[in-house]
Amino acid sequence: MLNGHWDCHHLLLDFETVDGDTIRIARPWLTFLVDRYSRCIVGFSLCTTPPSGDAIFDAVRMGIKRKDKMLARLGGMTNSWECHGVPAAVTTDAGRGSHSEKLRGASEVLQFSLHFKPQRKPWLTGQIESWFNSLERPGGKSLRALSLGEASWIVTKWIVDIYHQQLDPALDCTPAQMWGSGLQKTPILRVVPDDLVDVDFQQPIPRAIDRAQGAPPSSSGSLEF
């Protein structure tokens, strides 16, 4: 069913970004989560440092939230991104960074199980870059290093309007259609207020999940999570 299990993947993208805080120019690492039932990408994190538990935590937090306002603020998206809700389980690699206190705290408070397995072969390798390289470039020249915000827009656009809308032979439909079909079978039951998702999970949290059936949370919809 939807949100039954999310798998975490890491991908080193083949274009350069500049970190606004450190002014570091580097190829960005994309950490993203895939819902096993629909094969939708439910959330991601983008950074110029190697994958870490905090990056996975940010991707989980993005996956849980509704994304309406985030897409409206970013602009330029044709389709919606309906994925949200708390997963029953998240599987990630067994690297030391995956065992962060924030991630473990989130799993305890939001009540999802964590599974650690060896890093698998990168998924979607080359697909995002191929689409990015097909974009029209002013004067036919190479683009300057992008800001992380610009790179996040590119990744979001690719997820929402390209990947989610492409026919998946294994599903015999698109990931977006599979998500919609799953909603008809089993409504999303595990809904979390944004103020709970946004806290520091290294601190005690005296609140529980709102399990009201079909009650969507309000959302600030931010790529800053």
Side-chain angles (χ1 to χ4, degrees):
M1 64 179 183
L2 290 181
N3 292 338
H5 208 122
W6 292 354
D7 289 305
C8 182
H9 301 266
H10 307 291
L11 180 64
L12 182 61
L13 298 178
D14 194 19
F15 53 79
E16 290 187 332
T17 58
V18 57
D19 189 316
D21 296 325
T22 64
I23 317 300
R24 180 173 181 265
I25 296 178
R27 290 168 60 190
W29 278 97
L30 175 66
T31 295
F32 60 103
L33 294 157
V34 179
D35 175 62
R36 285 190 186 180
Y37 177 86
S38 65
R39 303 195 68 165
C40 280
I41 296 175
V42 297
F44 72 88
S45 176
L46 198 64
C47 58
T48 56
T49 54
S52 65
D54 286 349
I56 298 170
F57 169 68
D58 284 342
V60 168
R61 191 154 57 176
M62 184 187 206
I64 290 171
K65 287 185 172 185
R66 295 182 68 93
K67 302 167 183 68
D68 315 55
K69 293 181 180 179
M70 180 189 82
L71 296 189
R73 187 178 61 257
L74 287 174
M77 308 296 159
T78 302
N79 296 280
S80 59
W81 191 356
E82 300 296 336
C83 306
H84 71 283
V86 180
V90 174
T91 293
T92 183
D93 60 78
R96 178 181 297 180
S98 299
H99 299 257
S100 75
E101 291 302 317
K102 283 185 179 181
L103 189 59
R104 288 193 177 277
S107 72
E108 292 175 4
V109 174
L110 301 179
Q111 301 168 32
F112 61 85
S113 61
L114 278 176
H115 304 269
F116 300 98
K117 292 184 178 180
Q119 177 65 50
R120 291 150 290 181
K121 182 179 179 180
W123 195 62
L124 299 179
T125 299
Q127 294 190 37
I128 298 176
E129 296 96 323
S130 177
W131 175 74
F132 168 71
N133 289 332
S134 72
L135 295 177
E136 182 178 351
R137 304 187 178 196
K141 298 180 180 179
S142 297
L143 292 175
R144 58 174 171 75
L146 303 170
S147 69
L148 282 176
E150 291 169 329
S152 292
W153 184 92
I154 288 170
V155 172
T156 303
K157 177 71 174 177
W158 181 84
I159 291 171
V160 172
D161 288 339
I162 308 297
Y163 171 72
H164 280 180
Q165 312 307 321
Q166 290 178 334
L167 177 67
D168 187 318
L171 300 175
D172 198 28
C173 63
T174 69
Q177 289 170 336
M178 194 66 178
W179 183 274
S181 173
L183 279 180
Q184 294 179 1
K185 296 177 181 177
T186 307
I188 294 173
L189 302 179
R190 305 186 68 198
V191 177
V192 182
D194 277 4
D195 58 351
L196 176 57
V197 184
D198 286 335
V199 299
D200 181 354
F201 284 95
Q202 291 177 300
Q203 304 296 326
I205 308 297
R207 294 189 58 176
I209 291 176
D210 173 7
R211 295 178 181 274
Q213 179 170 337
S218 60
S219 172
S220 62
S222 173
L223 278 176
E224 299 174 354
F225 315 111

